[in-house]
């Protein structure tokens, strides 16, 4: 394998202008999937993506779905060669130019920094993996490589499952790498092997038909906002975050001390975490407890109340109806619909006229952090960055990961390259050539490792 990677440094130096040009062209297309006005840009992004795959030596297709297309590329070295699938998304979040120091949809280059919307989420990492694949293809290593580039991830991947089901025979694979996650610290690579799931719902109480004067009706009249506050207090201890609903955590398998040791080894710093997110206080500042809560424990969160008067001053009315928007981040072994039904029944048993409506439900994901593919990922990161990675879990959710896990029946490893400072979804989002260069080495090593039989027994 060493011979296969011997020319990688020279390749990187020679290919940097090509990488920069590709990223410039991709960032220059505002493929905002949430805005129908940018639908033509989604099409332009798909066309350019297919061109980039073709130029790198892969066979490319634009696959229609009921929504935005998926761009599929493949290099087939042989039927008996291992197959690796790389997933990224190329749609982006909106960007308000007034909040940026540079034009968001024009790549700005300053030294090793590439600034522009989508540069780190997720166009830069996608092109990094492509650069590694191009190197491997040119050296005719015995490995099949498939790219899946989605254009709806930022709106929840509503049609990705339809794509996977339709294309399932062509998507057979031994290993899936998802490069759409963030390291916890800039000097310590992190490999994610788990994601929390999500259940979102709304509770509504209606007690009348119109606002009433609190001086005339206050006392005997039910106040729906107060009723909702009572419901929240019955479900959640706000001081500790403990969910008070009986049975809520029965299916939860606690994270182990060994796992928490790895979480801590990621370079997480409580003070930096608070500063990054603008937090002035937290329920706990114990690092092990903070990490266990983010990566391995379920939550019950209150996102907003609706109803009543929210303008300047106080308007002394009792509203006729009110709602509260809630969610639970759930962990492996918790089934999202079962969690919702448990919460709904708990609330409605105490408040029969409360309406509890499900908005969305997404399971958690738990992948491998041991075994041949996790070992291959660890070795690839060590080769590329000179540091042993920490295996961690992500507190958020990625719907496409669940779909691939369900249908492809292959281990999904989240081998991201973005740094905390890169500004996911934020103004002045950027990516670094250091991450692109290291990431190219990482992916190339992973490809070469499997090509050399490094995951035998798969």
């Amino acid at each position: 394998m060493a011979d296969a990677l011997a020319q990688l440094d020279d390749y990187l130096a020679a290919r940097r202008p090509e990488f920069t040009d590709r990223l410039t062209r991709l960032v220059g297309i505002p493929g905002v999937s949430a805005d129908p006005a940018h639908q033509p840009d989604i099409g332009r992004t798909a066309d350019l993506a297919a061109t980039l795959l073709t130029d790198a030596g892969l066979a490319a297709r634009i696959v229609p779905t009921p929504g935005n297309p998926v761009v599929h590329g493949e290099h087939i070295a042989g039927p008996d060669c291992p197959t690796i699938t790389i997933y990224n998304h190329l749609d982006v979040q909106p960007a308000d130019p007034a909040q940026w120091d540079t034009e968001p949809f024009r790549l700005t280059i300053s030294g090793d920094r590439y600034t522009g919307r989508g540069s780190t989420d997720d166009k830069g990492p996608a092109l990094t993996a492509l650069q590694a694949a191009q190197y491997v293809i040119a050296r005719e290593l015995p490995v099949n490589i498939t790219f899946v580039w989605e254009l709806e991830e930022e709106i929840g991947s509503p049609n990705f499952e339809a794509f996977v089901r339709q294309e399932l025979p062509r998507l057979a694979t031994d290993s899936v790498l998802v490069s759409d996650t963030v390291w916890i610290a800039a000097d310590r690579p992190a490999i994610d092997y788990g994601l929390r799931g999500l259940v979102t719902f709304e509770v509504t109480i209606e007690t009348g038909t119109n606002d009433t004067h609190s001086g005339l009706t206050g006392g005997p009249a039910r106040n729906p906002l107060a009723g909702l506050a009572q419901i929240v207090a019955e479900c959640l201890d706000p001081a500790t975050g403990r969910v008070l609903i009986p049975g809520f955590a029965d299916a939860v398998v606690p994270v182990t001390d060994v796992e928490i040791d790895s979480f801590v080894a990621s370079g997480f710093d409580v003070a930096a975490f608070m500063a990054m997110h603008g937090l002035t206080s937290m329920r706990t500042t114990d690092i092990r407890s903070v990490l266990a809560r983010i990566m391995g424990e379920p939550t019950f969160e209150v996102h907003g109340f609706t109803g009543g008067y929210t303008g300047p001053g106080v308007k002394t009315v009792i509203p006729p109806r009110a709602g509260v928007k809630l969610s639970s981040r759930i962990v492996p072994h918790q089934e999202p619909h079962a969690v919702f039904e448990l919460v709904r029944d708990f609330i409605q048993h105490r408040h029969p006229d409360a309406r509890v409506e499900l908005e969305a439900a997404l399971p958690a994901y738990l992948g491998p952090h041991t075994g041949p593919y996790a070992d291959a990922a660890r070795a690839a990161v060590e080769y590329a960055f000179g540091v042993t990675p920490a295996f961690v879990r992500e507190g958020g959710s990625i719907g496409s990961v669940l779909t691939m896990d369900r249908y492809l029946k292959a281990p999904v490893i989240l081998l991201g390259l973005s740094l905390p400072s890169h500004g996911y979804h934020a103004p002045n989002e950027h990516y670094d050539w250091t991450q692109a260069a290291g990431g190219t080495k990482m992916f190339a090593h992973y490809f070469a490792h499997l090509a050399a039989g490094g995951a035998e027994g798969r």
Side-chain angles (χ1 to χ4, degrees), residues 74-209:
E74 60 183 1
H75 163 71
I76 304 299
D80 297 325
C81 299
T83 299
I84 303 166
T85 297
I86 311 296
Y87 167 92
N88 295 88
H89 70 87
L90 301 183
D91 62 320
V92 299
Q93 285 282 318
D96 180 357
Q99 298 179 337
W100 285 64
D101 297 333
T102 60
E103 167 58 44
F105 293 108
R106 185 183 69 237
L107 191 72
T108 301
I109 304 166
S110 177
D112 285 344
R113 174 172 291 190
Y114 300 106
T115 300
R117 174 58 88 217
S119 56
T120 198
D121 182 25
D122 187 30
K123 295 176 178 181
L127 294 177
T128 299
L130 181 63
Q131 189 169 246
Q134 189 171 356
Y135 175 87
V136 167
I137 291 168
R139 279 146 190 81
E140 299 182 343
L141 295 188
V143 60
N144 303 322
I145 302 174
T146 297
F147 280 85
V148 175
W149 283 348
E150 190 190 358
L151 288 161
E152 289 187 336
E153 193 276 340
E154 296 291 8
I155 55 172
S157 302
N159 295 288
F160 188 70
E161 182 175 355
F163 159 78
V164 172
R165 292 176 62 182
Q166 172 187 318
E167 299 293 319
L168 195 56
R170 296 190 67 162
L171 296 177
T173 190
D174 296 299
S175 169
V176 179
L177 300 180
V178 175
S179 189
D180 187 25
T181 52
V182 185
W183 296 5
I184 292 171
D187 58 352
R188 184 65 189 270
I191 299 175
D192 290 289
Y193 65 93
L195 299 165
R196 288 195 291 195
L198 179 65
V199 182
T200 61
F201 50 99
E202 187 165 0
V203 182
T204 307
I205 294 178
E206 187 166 349
T207 60
T209 58

Side-chain angles (χ1 to χ4, degrees), residues 16 113 171 191 227 229 248 253 304 406:
R16 181 171 180 176
R113 174 172 291 190
L171 296 177
I191 299 175
F248 180 84
V253 177
R406 177 183 177 187

Side-chain angles (χ1 to χ4, degrees), residues 131-337:
Q131 189 169 246
Q134 189 171 356
Y135 175 87
V136 167
I137 291 168
R139 279 146 190 81
E140 299 182 343
L141 295 188
V143 60
N144 303 322
I145 302 174
T146 297
F147 280 85
V148 175
W149 283 348
E150 190 190 358
L151 288 161
E152 289 187 336
E153 193 276 340
E154 296 291 8
I155 55 172
S157 302
N159 295 288
F160 188 70
E161 182 175 355
F163 159 78
V164 172
R165 292 176 62 182
Q166 172 187 318
E167 299 293 319
L168 195 56
R170 296 190 67 162
L171 296 177
T173 190
D174 296 299
S175 169
V176 179
L177 300 180
V178 175
S179 189
D180 187 25
T181 52
V182 185
W183 296 5
I184 292 171
D187 58 352
R188 184 65 189 270
I191 299 175
D192 290 289
Y193 65 93
L195 299 165
R196 288 195 291 195
L198 179 65
V199 182
T200 61
F201 50 99
E202 187 165 0
V203 182
T204 307
I205 294 178
E206 187 166 349
T207 60
T209 58
N210 51 265
D211 288 347
T212 62
H213 192 298
S214 66
L216 298 177
T217 64
R222 290 178 61 203
N223 187 312
L225 284 165
L228 292 171
Q230 179 184 0
I231 288 174
V232 170
E234 290 172 348
C235 293
L236 173 72
D237 180 345
T240 64
R242 187 167 65 92
V243 182
L244 305 177
I245 301 169
F248 180 84
D250 282 358
V252 174
V253 177
V255 291
T256 65
D257 286 340
V258 172
E259 286 180 292
I260 297 177
D261 288 343
S262 186
F263 300 167
V264 172
S266 69
F268 182 88
D269 180 88
V270 174
F273 173 80
M274 293 179 67
M276 181 185 306
H277 296 285
L279 302 174
T280 57
S281 65
M282 296 205 304
R283 288 170 175 148
T284 177
T285 56
D286 176 77
I287 187 171
R288 296 181 70 85
S289 178
V290 170
L291 287 169
R293 288 171 182 237
I294 294 172
M295 298 183 183
E297 295 180 5
T299 68
F300 188 99
E301 299 292 355
V302 183
H303 302 295
F305 285 87
T306 60
Y309 177 72
T310 59
V314 176
K315 184 179 179 181
T316 56
V317 296
I318 298 174
R321 68 189 62 83
V324 59
K325 299 177 184 294
L326 305 165
S327 78
S328 288
R329 293 283 176 177
I330 59 174
V331 296
H333 308 294
Q334 285 185 298
E335 200 284 317
H337 287 91

